[in-house]
Amino acid sequence: MKKIIEKLKEKNIKITPQRIAIIEFLMSTKSHPSAEDIYKEISKKYPSMSYATVYNTLITLKNLGEVVELAIDSDKKRFDIDTSLHHHFYCTRCKRVYDLSKNFIIEAISTIDGHNVERTFLNFTGICNKCLKEEKDEQDRKKS
Amino acid sequence: MKKIIEKLKEKNIKITPQRIAIIEFLMSTKSHPSAEDIYKEISKKYPSMSYATVYNTLITLKNLGEVVELAIDSDKKRFDIDTSLHHHFYCTRCKRVYDLSKNFIIEAISTIDGHNVERTFLNFTGICNKCLKEEKDEQDRKKS
DNA sequence: GTTCGTGCAAATCTTTTGCAGTTTC
DNA sequence: GAAACTGCAAAAGATTTGCACGAAC
């Protein structure tokens, strides 16, 4: 919490009650909430809260590296303020997202923590070799 | 291709030119296209093609287990007709989705196939232990 | 001929944007 | 007081739905 506030100050990003409420809510839950979940929860205390502010804050925190946007629920974005290395399990029935530890058996498995795993996706996100090459070519061109 | 057609016939799902075009396109590409990509490609040959038909067909094929809906691009759904066990790499810059083989080193890694991996998500999808328990409780109640 | 599918348009849902007024520092 | 933020409403993008007409079997 303090660490995030410090980071906001460093970057000249203003500390508003809405932002604090969103950060506090994210830190209080392991539910990997969607923007809507966050909006509804915060609205209880701040009836004037708007979606614009929720999305605004989430994008700000994501850009700071203090929130991770999860692509596990294909219907909507889900957010996690725990940016440490860990993985997720998504229930296709209730849409809950569970944390998985870094240390799990990485074979084709039929059971994790008692869940019935139907399908395993190992997804990696980053900059691809095509983009890296284009970027390098671009730099080389500028040099010469 | 034939296998899918057979499956459609079995289930009394009609074989239409649009559906064939969509299946053929999906089989011809490794780009993991979105509904829009599919719509645009098929529209070249079938100018009357509609999004409704694209989504319709994708849902049908997904329900048959012949297409997988990928939750890796958090902006939109991406589809893969290769339902064999494999994983994906998503480029945050160009939005390409690459196939990864089942056999890759599963440690914290900084390079896969020359891509610069920023973040690793290991996502598992299925029915969670809460839902399984509810289902079991439900069944037990019916029995007694 | 019956059943199912297509295509259009409208609707819905999620997310983004423009902007006037307000708050933070 | 300047810069940044909020909240509203409108817009945009993705997906779904209702329904009249048409195609597949």
Side-chain angles (χ1 to χ4, degrees):
Chain A
M1 182 77 198
K2 274 190 183 172
K3 180 190 128 214
I4 298 181
I5 303 288
E6 286 310 313
K7 210 161 180 175
L8 291 172
K9 282 185 186 169
E10 268 176 36
K11 307 267 181 180
N12 283 325
I13 297 169
K14 298 207 156 52
I15 319 293
T16 65
Q18 294 90 335
R19 284 187 173 152
I20 291 176
I22 291 171
I23 294 168
E24 279 180 345
F25 173 55
L26 285 173
M27 296 189 91
S28 77
T29 182
K30 295 193 172 187
S31 66
H32 308 81
S34 65
E36 186 188 8
D37 297 333
I38 296 166
Y39 171 77
K40 287 190 175 158
E41 182 61 29
I42 310 285
S43 291
K44 294 180 190 166
K45 288 186 185 170
Y46 291 86
S48 71
M49 171 68 52
S50 74
Y51 273 102
T53 299
V54 171
Y55 280 108
N56 231 345
T57 297
L58 288 171
I59 290 167
T60 300
L61 292 171
K62 180 185 159 193
N63 289 340
L64 284 177
E66 294 299 332
V67 154
V68 178
E69 183 185 290
L70 305 183
I72 191 168
D73 177 344
S74 65
D75 289 332
K76 56 175 79 163
K77 292 173 180 167
R78 307 277 293 249
F79 298 89
D80 194 349
I81 205 164
D82 176 1
T83 59
S84 70
L85 177 61
H86 68 284
H87 311 297
H88 300 100
F89 171 72
Y90 174 71
C91 180
T92 52
R93 191 159 299 167
C94 66
K95 319 291 189 195
R96 281 191 188 88
V97 174
Y98 295 83
D99 284 328
L100 293 181
S101 81
K102 183 180 168 183
N103 305 304
F104 60 92
I105 300 161
I106 207 59
E107 290 302 314
I109 35 180
S110 61
T111 297
I112 300 175
D113 292 350
H115 308 308
N116 173 25
V117 178
E118 291 162 347
R119 180 162 270 283
T120 314
F121 296 97
L122 304 195
N123 295 340
F124 298 87
T125 297
I127 314 292
C128 74
N129 51 16
K130 284 195 181 60
C131 287
L132 288 174
K133 184 169 185 311
E134 277 173 27
E135 196 169 273
K136 190 173 174 305
D137 291 349
E138 180 71 21
Q139 287 172 352
D140 290 351
R141 205 177 322 130
K142 280 184 189 158
K143 279 183 198 156
S144 59
Chain B
M1 181 78 200
K2 274 189 182 171
K3 181 191 127 213
I4 298 181
I5 303 288
E6 287 310 313
K7 211 161 180 175
L8 291 170
K9 283 185 186 167
E10 269 176 37
K11 307 268 180 177
N12 283 325
I13 297 170
K14 298 202 158 51
I15 320 291
T16 66
Q18 293 89 335
R19 283 185 175 155
I20 291 176
I22 291 170
I23 294 168
E24 277 180 345
F25 173 55
L26 284 173
M27 297 188 90
S28 77
T29 182
K30 295 193 172 186
S31 66
H32 309 80
S34 64
E36 186 188 8
D37 297 333
I38 296 167
Y39 170 76
K40 286 190 173 159
E41 182 61 30
I42 311 286
S43 291
K44 293 180 190 167
K45 288 186 186 171
Y46 292 85
S48 71
M49 170 70 51
S50 74
Y51 273 102
T53 299
V54 171
Y55 281 108
N56 232 345
T57 298
L58 288 171
I59 291 166
T60 301
L61 292 172
K62 180 186 158 192
N63 289 341
L64 284 178
E66 294 299 332
V67 153
V68 178
E69 183 185 290
L70 304 183
I72 190 169
D73 177 344
S74 65
D75 289 332
K76 55 174 79 163
K77 292 173 179 167
R78 307 278 294 249
F79 298 89
D80 194 349
I81 205 164
D82 177 1
T83 60
S84 70
L85 178 60
H86 68 285
H87 311 296
H88 300 99
F89 171 72
Y90 173 71
C91 180
T92 52
R93 190 159 299 167
C94 65
K95 320 291 190 195
R96 282 191 187 88
V97 173
Y98 296 83
D99 284 328
L100 294 181
S101 81
K102 184 180 167 182
N103 305 304
F104 60 92
I105 300 161
I106 207 57
E107 290 302 316
I109 35 182
S110 60
T111 298
I112 300 174
D113 292 351
H115 307 309
N116 171 25
V117 178
E118 292 162 346
R119 182 162 269 281
T120 314
F121 297 97
L122 304 194
N123 295 339
F124 298 87
T125 297
I127 314 293
C128 74
N129 50 17
K130 285 197 180 59
C131 287
L132 288 173
K133 185 169 185 313
E134 278 173 25
E135 197 169 273
K136 190 174 174 303
D137 290 351
E138 180 71 21
Q139 287 173 352
D140 290 353
R141 204 176 322 129
K142 281 185 189 158
K143 278 183 198 158
S144 59

